[in-house]
């Protein structure tokens, strides 16, 4: 048999053809392993034992307000994991996502975003230690398309290895890639043993030896859950099912359940919120304890996919190990199915345990709810199972914990600078009061525009295209600065007010000292965050304009950017309790080239707005972002 199967192999619709399909799979696996001279030694190394039980992986945005306190720089690891246990049954790993979709507003590269998070790499190492104390593994992200920002003095593979060595992370998530190569593998292995690679795109079979995990993203699940090819070749290879824009994850959960594989829990999608339903969370809560406690069955047992069942729409697979048999069952229909939906041959005295309830199983009295799962353990006469005893003990402990949500919510912002009403002779234009119809343009991105992105599949027909938002509202009369606040004006503010930001990371980095170099005195001040700009405005007796006021003033008076153009902060700031962002205007002198994944760069028309996700003051202060002021009249 010389043909390859696709990444997911859908079974025939006719039940009478299933056995032949299954036999073909067995023959294909044997022939394919021989043809490719499959070497499974990478999975025999004890430092990778954790991979086969990494069932629940969470995509964690570094800026998530329930994880990172941007006012103190504290990582709320304990609280975040507690919430994950309450909502999803806990995580086995997290992917700490750092740069996209922010990267590209300035020259900082993907590695800078890790280095400049609170505490730097040492702070990240301590954060990773906190995850490890909870037995949770940590992946960092690698973006191969990041070629248009600041370049490292060494290769990406060596830069990744340096970060691995400094932080003790457990894995590298390979964004947009279908595999990691030998150069990266060798470099990372020298830095730390047991660091696993996980590909986003479908992993080819010849990548199994170097990549211990991969995504099953946007696979065609079919009515009968298909077979994951890479799991079939190597059962210790972990795959995480994901359709990140779907609001119903039942198909992903059923696929993982029938393949003994994992799931990706992802709600904060680059700043767009796509929450899981209560039903999906409850289903994952049922799956994870069984997968974790019986992982030897899924990774080492004899797997028989899609055995015969007695009811249409009910599917089951078996996993045999040490004389016991584990059965995973799914009801793919929208109807409850009463008894006799499965017939499991067993000898006299054999026992069947319902692993979800922990009680003996009787098919006649067991109803499968719509879209439900079941898990059965068959024990031979007089047989016992160490996994069963451990599982029952763990279930009792988790029931007694009575977990409750203790999600931390962000606190209100306060500004400590008193208004001085300093009369700096700014050049201003006046916008009269009146009704205004504004057409604002955005580039469609996964973080969304003013609100959330709403993308339905992997083709992204509208991604990166221009969209228009029309609004009509009333503005009061106001004055608007024709140019940005300059470095020398900001220096006067510091001298007169004594202002010092609570977090000083990257504050006025371009000055190189207490005073701005003379050659940039008249240029727009940059490396200031939104709170720095608000503090200056309050001191000057003014305020930041909204993005609508900024646009109206520019269009009404034909204003232009300065000779050294930079993005402008506005007072149009939002937070949903997970992601803070501000709409910025104007564009800048810098534009990252080489990939559409970068944030917006270059000069922009007055009607263009960009969504700037706020992470941490040290990263929010950019060389391309300044501000100008407005004042009510």
């Amino acid at each position: 048999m010389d043909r390859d199967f696709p990444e997911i192999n859908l079974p025939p619709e006719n039940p009478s053809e299933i056995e032949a399909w299954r036999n073909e799979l067995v023959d294909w696996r044997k022939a394919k392993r021989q043809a490719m001279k499959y070497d499974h030694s990478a999975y025999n190394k004890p430092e990778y034992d954790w991979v086969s039980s990494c069932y629940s992986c969470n995509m964690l945005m570094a800026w998530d307000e329930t994880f990172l306190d941007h006012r103190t720089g504290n990582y709320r690891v304990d609280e975040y994991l507690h919430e994950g246990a309450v909502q999803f049954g806990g995580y086995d790993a997290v992917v700490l996502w750092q740069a996209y979709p922010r990267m590209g507003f300035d020259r900082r590269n993907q590695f800078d975003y890790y280095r400049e998070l609170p505490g730097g790499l040492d702070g990240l190492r301590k954060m990773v230690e906190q995850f490890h104390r909870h037995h949770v593994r940590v992946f960092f992200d690698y973006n191969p398309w990041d070629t248009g920002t600041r370049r490292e003095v060494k290769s990406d593979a060596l830069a990744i290895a340096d970060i691995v060595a400094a932080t003790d992370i457990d894995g590298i998530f390979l964004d947009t890639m279908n595999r990691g190569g030998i150069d990266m593998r060798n470099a990372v292995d020298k830095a730390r043993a047991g660091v696993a690679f996980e590909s986003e795109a479908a992993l080819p079979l010849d990548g199994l030896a170097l990549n211990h995990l991969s995504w099953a993203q946007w696979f065609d699940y079919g009515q009968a859950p298909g077979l994951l090819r890479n799991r079939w070749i190597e059962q210790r290879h972990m795959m995480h099912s994901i359709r990140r824009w779907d609001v119903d994850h039942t198909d992903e959960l059923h696929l993982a359940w029938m393949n003994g594989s994992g799931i990706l829990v992802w709600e904060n999608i680059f700043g767009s919120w796509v929450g899981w339903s209560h039903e999906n969370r409850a289903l994952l809560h049922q799956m994870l304890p069984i997968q974790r406690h019986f992982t030897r069955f899924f990774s080492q047992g004899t797997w028989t996919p899609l055995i015969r069942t007695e009811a249409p729409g009910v599917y089951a697979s078996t996993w045999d190990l040490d004389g016991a048999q584990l059965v995973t069952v799914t009801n793919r229909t929208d109807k409850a199915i009463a008894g006799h939906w499965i017939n499991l041959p067993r000898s006299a005295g054999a026992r069947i345990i319902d692993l979800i309830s922990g009680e003996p199983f009787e098919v006649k009295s067991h109803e499968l709810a719509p879209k439900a799962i079941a898990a059965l353990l068959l024990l031979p006469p007089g047989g016992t199972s160490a996994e069963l005893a451990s599982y029952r003990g763990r279930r009792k402990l988790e029931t007694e914990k009575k977990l409750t949500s203790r999600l931390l919510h962000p606190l209100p912002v306060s500004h400590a600078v008193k208004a001085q009403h300093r009369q700096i002779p700014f050049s201003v234009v006046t916008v009269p009061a009146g009704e205004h119809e504004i057409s604002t343009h955005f580039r469609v991105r996964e973080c969304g525009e003013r609100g959330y992105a709403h993308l339905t599949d992997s083709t992204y027909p509208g991604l990166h295209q221009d969209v228009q938002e029309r609004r009509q509202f009333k503005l009061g009369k106001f004055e608007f600065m024709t140019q940005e606040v300059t470095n020398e004006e900001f220096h006067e503010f510091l001298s007169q007010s004594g202002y010092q930001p609570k977090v000083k990371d990257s504050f006025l980095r371009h000055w190189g000292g207490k005073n701005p170099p003379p050659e940039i005195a008249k240029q727009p001040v940059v490396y200031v965050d939104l709170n720095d700009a608000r503090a200056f405005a309050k001191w000057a007796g003014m305020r930041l304009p909204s993005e609508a006021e900024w646009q109206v003033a520019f269009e009404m008076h034909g204003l232009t950017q300065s000779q050294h153009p930079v993005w402008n902060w506005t007072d149009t700031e939002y937070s949903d309790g997970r992601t803070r962002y501000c709409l910025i205007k104007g564009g800048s002198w810098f534009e990252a080239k080489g990939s559409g994944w970068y944030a917006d760069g270059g000069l922009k028309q007055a009607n263009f707005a960009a969504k700037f996700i706020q992470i941490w003051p040290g990263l929010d202060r950019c060389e391309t972002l300044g501000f100008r002021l407005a004042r009510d009249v």
Side-chain angles (χ1 to χ4, degrees):
M1 185 177 300
D2 56 2
R3 73 180 182 89
D4 272 346
F5 286 112
E7 293 88 0
I8 183 170
N9 194 299
L10 299 179
E13 295 182 4
N14 188 343
S16 65
E17 300 174 0
I18 292 290
E19 185 174 359
W21 168 79
R22 191 165 49 235
N23 292 336
E24 184 184 10
L25 285 171
V26 172
D27 293 341
W28 173 84
R29 179 171 58 186
K30 181 179 179 180
K32 192 63 182 178
R33 283 176 172 174
Q34 292 175 347
M36 65 187 292
K37 298 179 180 179
Y38 177 63
D39 179 8
H40 56 72
S41 60
Y43 293 85
N44 295 336
K45 297 179 180 179
E47 57 265 34
Y48 291 110
D49 285 348
W50 63 272
V51 168
S52 61
S53 59
C54 185
Y55 293 103
S56 174
C57 185
N58 172 242
M59 285 291 280
L60 168 58
M61 303 296 107
W63 60 79
D64 194 304
E65 293 182 84
T66 67
F67 171 71
L68 172 61
D69 187 334
H70 63 273
R71 295 172 184 83
T72 65
N74 292 331
Y75 297 108
R76 298 165 167 173
V77 174
D78 294 345
E79 293 86 350
Y80 190 84
L81 290 180
H82 181 91
E83 188 71 13
V86 172
Q87 301 295 341
F88 299 100
Y91 307 131
D92 301 310
V94 297
V95 179
L96 184 65
W97 191 271
Q98 84 293 18
Y100 172 82
R102 255 283 303 274
M103 188 165 55
F105 280 117
D106 64 5
R107 288 182 289 189
R108 280 180 283 208
N109 65 34
Q110 58 182 306
F111 309 114
D112 293 328
Y113 271 79
Y114 279 123
R115 297 182 186 115
E116 296 189 28
L117 281 168
L121 295 183
D122 185 60
L124 291 182
R125 179 182 57 79
K126 295 175 181 176
M127 178 265 290
V128 171
E129 289 175 356
Q130 286 183 273
F131 277 107
H132 286 172
R133 284 197 289 271
H134 292 274
H135 308 289
V136 175
R137 303 285 176 162
V138 180
F139 287 74
F140 280 6
D141 163 52
Y142 171 61
N143 309 114
W145 47 266
D146 178 24
T147 59
T149 55
R150 187 187 72 83
R151 295 297 83 212
E152 297 284 315
V153 297
K154 55 183 67 176
S155 68
D156 282 1
L158 293 176
I160 291 171
D162 287 346
I163 289 181
V164 167
T167 59
D168 287 340
I169 58 172
D170 307 282
I172 305 295
F173 172 71
L174 305 170
D175 177 47
T176 72
M177 300 173 67
N178 68 354
R179 76 182 91 185
I182 190 63
D183 290 344
M184 186 183 297
R185 181 76 272 166
N186 290 337
V188 169
D189 284 348
K190 290 179 181 178
R192 185 170 189 257
V195 176
F197 293 168
E198 178 160 15
S199 67
E200 177 184 8
L203 178 73
L205 285 173
D206 59 6
L208 279 172
L210 298 184
N211 302 266
H212 288 75
L213 308 95
S214 60
W215 276 12
Q217 181 172 216
W218 287 305
F219 283 6
D220 181 8
Y221 300 134
Q223 172 62 17
L227 189 86
L228 293 175
R229 181 194 64 193
N230 291 353
R231 284 282 292 179
W232 185 244
I233 286 284
E234 175 55 75
Q235 287 178 217
R236 291 170 293 179
H237 179 81
M238 180 53 67
M239 301 184 71
H240 293 118
S241 298
I242 174 62
R243 282 180 175 264
R244 61 181 181 254
W245 296 108
D246 285 12
V247 295
D248 181 3
H249 300 281
T250 304
D251 286 341
E252 297 144 66
L253 293 161
H254 283 179
L255 182 72
W257 186 238
M258 296 300 289
N259 282 270
S261 58
I263 198 79
L264 192 75
V265 176
W266 196 356
E267 293 186 300
N268 187 346
I269 303 176
F270 308 126
S272 292
W273 186 256
V274 185
W276 274 43
S277 69
H278 171 77
E279 292 77 12
N280 287 165
R281 295 175 190 226
L283 193 57
L284 186 56
H285 261 286
Q286 289 182 330
M287 291 170 51
L288 288 175
I290 297 168
Q291 289 180 317
R292 289 165 179 156
H293 283 282
F294 295 91
T295 190
R296 287 200 314 124
F297 282 80
F298 296 118
S299 61
Q300 302 173 31
T302 301
W303 177 11
T304 305
L306 299 185
I307 65 170
R308 177 181 173 180
T309 65
E310 305 300 323
V314 175
Y315 301 94
S317 293
T318 60
W319 317 76
D320 291 85
L321 183 69
D322 297 337
Q325 184 179 79
L326 180 65
V327 186
T328 58
V329 184
T330 60
N331 176 7
R332 297 285 288 155
T333 75
D334 294 319
K335 298 179 179 179
I337 298 178
H340 298 290
W341 39 263
I342 195 167
N343 182 22
L344 297 174
R346 52 175 167 162
S347 57
R351 294 182 296 151
I352 303 181
I353 307 299
D354 177 357
L355 292 177
I356 292 179
S357 69
E359 301 299 326
F361 174 76
E362 226 5 281
V363 69
K364 294 180 181 179
S365 60
H366 190 112
E367 181 178 89
L368 270 179
K371 302 294 186 181
I373 64 168
L376 309 177
L377 183 65
L378 278 70
L379 295 174
T384 61
S385 169
E387 283 90 349
L388 177 59
S390 172
Y391 172 69
R392 281 175 165 165
R394 182 62 180 271
R395 276 181 58 87
K396 184 174 184 295
L397 286 175
E398 291 184 349
T399 301
E400 291 172 351
K401 283 181 181 178
K402 297 181 179 178
L403 294 176
T404 57
S405 175
R406 55 175 178 175
L407 187 66
L408 294 181
H409 294 283
L411 301 173
V413 178
S414 62
H415 308 294
V417 175
K418 294 182 179 180
Q420 301 293 323
H421 300 290
R422 177 67 174 172
Q423 296 300 316
I424 295 179
F426 297 126
S427 173
V428 299
V429 293
T430 301
V431 176
E435 296 278 349
H436 298 271
E437 182 176 344
I438 294 181
S439 173
T440 304
H441 289 248
F442 297 88
R443 184 166 65 100
V444 175
R445 307 186 69 221
E446 288 184 282
C447 58
E449 295 78 55
R450 187 183 302 273
Y452 297 148
H454 297 284
L455 305 172
T456 57
D457 57 45
S458 60
T459 58
Y460 304 138
L463 196 63
H464 305 318
Q465 295 185 16
D466 191 64
V467 293
Q468 187 179 36
E469 172 198 75
R470 290 188 178 276
R471 294 177 297 153
Q472 188 163 353
F473 50 87
K474 182 182 294 185
L475 292 177
K477 185 178 180 181
F478 67 95
E479 293 178 336
F480 182 79
M481 287 177 59
T482 59
Q483 295 294 324
E484 289 90 356
V485 171
T486 65
N487 287 290
E488 65 178 3
E489 289 166 345
F490 202 85
H491 180 260
E492 181 179 353
F493 155 63
L494 297 180
S495 300
Q496 295 293 326
S497 70
Y499 172 77
Q500 289 292 328
K502 185 175 181 180
V503 177
K504 298 182 180 180
D505 295 20
S506 298
F507 182 59
L508 301 174
R509 177 189 287 182
H510 61 310
W511 285 13
K514 294 184 178 180
N515 303 308
E519 62 271 20
I520 66 170
K522 301 294 184 182
Q523 291 182 7
V525 66
V526 291
Y527 283 115
V528 289
D529 71 359
L530 190 54
N531 285 338
D532 301 329
R534 284 170 171 159
F536 180 97
K538 190 172 184 179
W539 171 80
M542 300 181 74
R543 60 175 175 81
L544 291 174
S546 68
E547 47 87 23
E549 290 175 325
W550 195 102
Q551 180 173 334
V552 168
F554 254 72
E555 292 178 339
M556 179 177 292
H557 291 280
L559 300 180
T560 59
Q561 286 280 56
S562 62
Q563 292 183 348
H564 190 78
V566 295
W567 287 101
N568 285 191
W569 286 108
T570 74
D571 213 26
T572 305
E573 185 186 23
Y574 299 91
S575 172
D576 62 0
R578 310 298 293 247
T579 298
R580 295 178 305 125
Y581 64 94
C582 181
L583 296 185
I584 59 176
K585 302 285 285 184
S588 79
W589 55 269
F590 174 72
E591 183 175 9
K593 301 285 189 178
S595 175
W597 298 113
Y598 283 124
D600 302 292
L603 272 175
K604 301 296 182 184
Q605 297 293 323
N607 63 2
F608 187 88
K611 184 175 184 176
F612 184 90
I613 291 177
Q614 295 160 269
I615 303 174
W616 161 251
L619 283 167
D620 296 344
R621 295 180 178 122
C622 298
E623 62 179 332
T624 57
L625 185 50
F627 65 99
R628 60 184 81 205
L629 302 179
R631 176 168 46 211
D632 295 320
V633 178

